[in-house]
Amino acid sequence: MASKETISEFLKSEFPQTECVVDVVGEQYAIVRQAIGFDELRPGGTVSGPTLMAVADVALYVAILGEIGLVSLAVTTNLSINFLRKPAPDKDIIGECKLLKCGKSLIIGEVSLYSDGDKEPVAHVVGTYSIPLSKKS
Amino acid sequence: MASKETISEFLKSEFPQTECVVDVVGEQYAIVRQAIGFDELRPGGTVSGPTLMAVADVALYVAILGEIGLVSLAVTTNLSINFLRKPAPDKDIIGECKLLKCGKSLIIGEVSLYSDGDKEPVAHVVGTYSIPLSKKS
Amino acid sequence: MASKETISEFLKSEFPQTECVVDVVGEQYAIVRQAIGFDELRPGGTVSGPTLMAVADVALYVAILGEIGLVSLAVTTNLSINFLRKPAPDKDIIGECKLLKCGKSLIIGEVSLYSDGDKEPVAHVVGTYSIPLSKKS
Amino acid sequence: MASKETISEFLKSEFPQTECVVDVVGEQYAIVRQAIGFDELRPGGTVSGPTLMAVADVALYVAILGEIGLVSLAVTTNLSINFLRKPAPDKDIIGECKLLKCGKSLIIGEVSLYSDGDKEPVAHVVGTYSIPLSKKS
């Protein structure tokens, strides 16, 4: 399994735009974190939906990298998000991903998103990644 | 029905972060457009998933404003996106929304996303907005 | 492209349980129809959700067979349904499918479901099929 | 909280078509079970998708009844299912539901579906119910 450090460096070089930090990489599991500033907020003091989706997408990707190694060509094919509660404007968003299925060509996982320190999730995501066949070990 | 100009001004004041421009507001229908620059791209020259989601979300919101008037408290409850083709890195993203149901408390619509000038959609979104009861005419 | 008759026979032999009838097979397009009786109803005179899903699934499958030929190993990987209006208890359910993407390994389509004769859809479905690689032409 | 026995009787009278049995009702939680016979199978010895969806729908409904009491007018508005593994043709299907959000008008939950005795889920569902306002305590 790729380590947290290896995956963090890979993420930085492959996705320089992401501001997510890798907290944990485990068995078909990952936790990532993103700081929230003005750019991520919407009027009313809510974290924007696209920010939540972006954190979920990175959480899924990190869990997949932990499972199958450093694959740059994996692409998201489907992402479904339910918004559950208003996120806090002044707390990091935490994305906790559990993979549900690791198939040869498709990997499916769910992500619960939290405002750091809160127990109740602000959103729940299920996403599917397509894995290029030659890259899957 | 609220006009394109009224909705454009409302959008600018309520969502100063959005870079989407309203192209068309019709009967349970809207087209919006977003210019693509470095911030919206991912390595490999693809428009990022969160950018596509954001355009779809605004397209839905504009179609809803056109249908029920200027409601600032409508919130997205669910958004499901399928990524279909690689978007062009140097073309605007166009979001074309058709509402599927306008209920008293829930409005559901679908959005096809295109790279400007291409016939085949790059992504397809279905989303649900929850409408505050007192605001729905 | 496989004809309506060929696909109807294939469907009968491969899926003897389905009660759907093929009405139209077109370019990345299909219409199927299912008669509604006591078994498909729920108290209150509504067509059951699983019945609607089953019709959508067959509509997708028929559109796929029309596109890539008679493939028995295609499987649904994801199906998302929004229930829009109460279906009529005494009318056929019509499923109209348009394929959104025909990839090498994934085919994605949307299905609008109607009570026969009504203009407004009772439900909207987006689904993904996984195609076995060796079978795709 | 409504008891398992009360909910079982309510289910029998309100949904005589369902063959699901209630195993557990807990805090925003429920487990239901359905026996699998010829009617639920598809060629190849797989449990049909609509059967899995039906079990998930009942699991959600039972968890909701446990949370808000016996409400017959709650309706499913959205259901999204990912098929993960081939279910066993000769084992009950178990649906385990956890509610993610209990709002005033919308309740959202996730359901993991298993072939009885297997650890790995055969499918994963996220669904939304709309609750009539007057009925919500």
Side-chain angles (χ1 to χ4, degrees), chain D residues 4 8 20-26 28-34 55 58-60 62-63 93-98 111-112 114 116:
Chain D
K4 179 181 144 183
S8 292
C20 282
V21 171
V22 181
D23 270 13
V24 177
V25 180
Q28 306 202 350
Y29 182 83
I31 298 179
V32 304
R33 161 191 305 269
Q34 174 161 349
V55 176
V58 172
L60 260 166
V62 168
I93 290 291
I94 309 293
E96 180 185 18
C97 175
K98 295 173 202 171
V111 183
S112 295
Y114 300 89
D116 194 9

Side-chain angles (χ1 to χ4, degrees), chain D residues 79-115:
Chain D
L79 226 135
S80 180
I81 184 165
N82 278 282
F83 299 96
L84 304 172
R85 289 168 193 85
K86 198 178 165 180
D90 53 357
K91 292 179 181 171
D92 291 358
I93 290 291
I94 309 293
E96 180 185 18
C97 175
K98 295 173 202 171
L99 298 183
L100 295 168
K101 183 199 175 181
C102 295
K104 266 176 281 184
S105 60
L106 293 179
I107 297 186
I108 301 174
E110 64 170 327
V111 183
S112 295
L113 295 158
Y114 300 89
S115 287

Side-chain angles (χ1 to χ4, degrees), chain A residues 1 5-6 23 32 34 37 64-65 67 80 91 93 101 108 131:
Chain A
M1 205 175 79
E5 287 68 31
T6 315
D23 270 13
V32 304
Q34 174 161 350
I64 290 169
L65 295 178
E67 178 67 16
S80 179
K91 291 178 180 169
I93 291 291
K101 183 200 175 179
I108 302 175
I131 310 300

